[in-house]
Amino acid sequence: DTAANRLLWALGYETEIAYLIPKAKIEGKGEFENVRLEARPASVKRAGNWMWENNPFKDTPEFRGLKILMVMINNWDMKDDNNEILARRGDTSGEGELRYIISDLGGSFGKTGGFFSRSRNSPEDFAKSEFIKKVNGDVIDFNYGGKNQKLFEGITVADARWLHSLMKRLSDEQIKDAFRAANYTPEEVNTMSAALKARINALANPGS
């Protein structure tokens, strides 16, 4: 979740404010490892869920790019309950700015599939999994076996190249930093960043 948040934020998408602490001691509770902390400013409140199939952005390249990004990180938990709308606390006009975020990206960086075959937070599974099966004309057939598979129907080569134009701006170190922030080992950081970089490159020419 922490690494996925960093990558979305780097591309300009709104995210949770999340940090992973390798070790934390909570008085009266004990000591814990790899603790994920989430911050929300006092002026911000959650104002309900938004839906993948019905939202203000569904016909935009940014939204189609977001869906491709979910396949890229193997987020198999594509359900509306994981999406939140953030609003300014105290705004009663109904005209305040709303922020649409994916509040739970924890089903990422493993392999997609059914209940017994999917995984998350598994560098080995992520690196071994297939990204694009084939291209039919101008439409991409992704290797995705998670929830809400129909969301990825009709995504085109042009959509993939749009996302590539953003992701190619990320340096190798920036990509690695996203995984370092999630406290992966140096070997895992190299494995996952190499796998993600290969997927970024595949966006440029999905049919090749």
Side-chain angles (χ1 to χ4, degrees), residues 88-100:
R88 184 66 57 181
R89 193 177 298 278
D91 177 27
T92 59
S93 68
E95 298 179 357
E97 185 178 76
L98 301 177
R99 304 294 180 95
Y100 288 63

Side-chain angles (χ1 to χ4, degrees), residues 13-81:
Y13 292 100
E14 292 286 339
T15 67
E16 295 281 19
I17 303 172
Y19 293 89
L20 188 139
I21 308 300
K23 292 183 181 295
K25 182 177 181 180
I26 302 175
E27 293 297 331
K29 299 293 184 180
E31 296 184 1
F32 304 89
E33 294 186 354
N34 288 331
V35 179
R36 179 182 177 276
L37 302 178
E38 188 175 292
R40 187 167 299 110
S43 59
V44 174
K45 66 176 182 179
R46 288 186 169 184
N49 300 112
W50 61 270
M51 295 179 287
W52 282 107
E53 292 191 85
N54 185 19
N55 60 75
F57 318 103
K58 62 180 182 179
D59 295 322
T60 65
E62 290 83 0
F63 183 63
R64 293 192 293 272
L66 178 62
K67 291 197 288 185
I68 297 172
L69 189 55
M70 293 300 98
V71 183
M72 291 185 73
I73 64 175
N74 283 4
N75 179 20
W76 46 259
D77 200 14
M78 296 285 291
K79 59 184 182 182
D80 295 338
D81 287 350

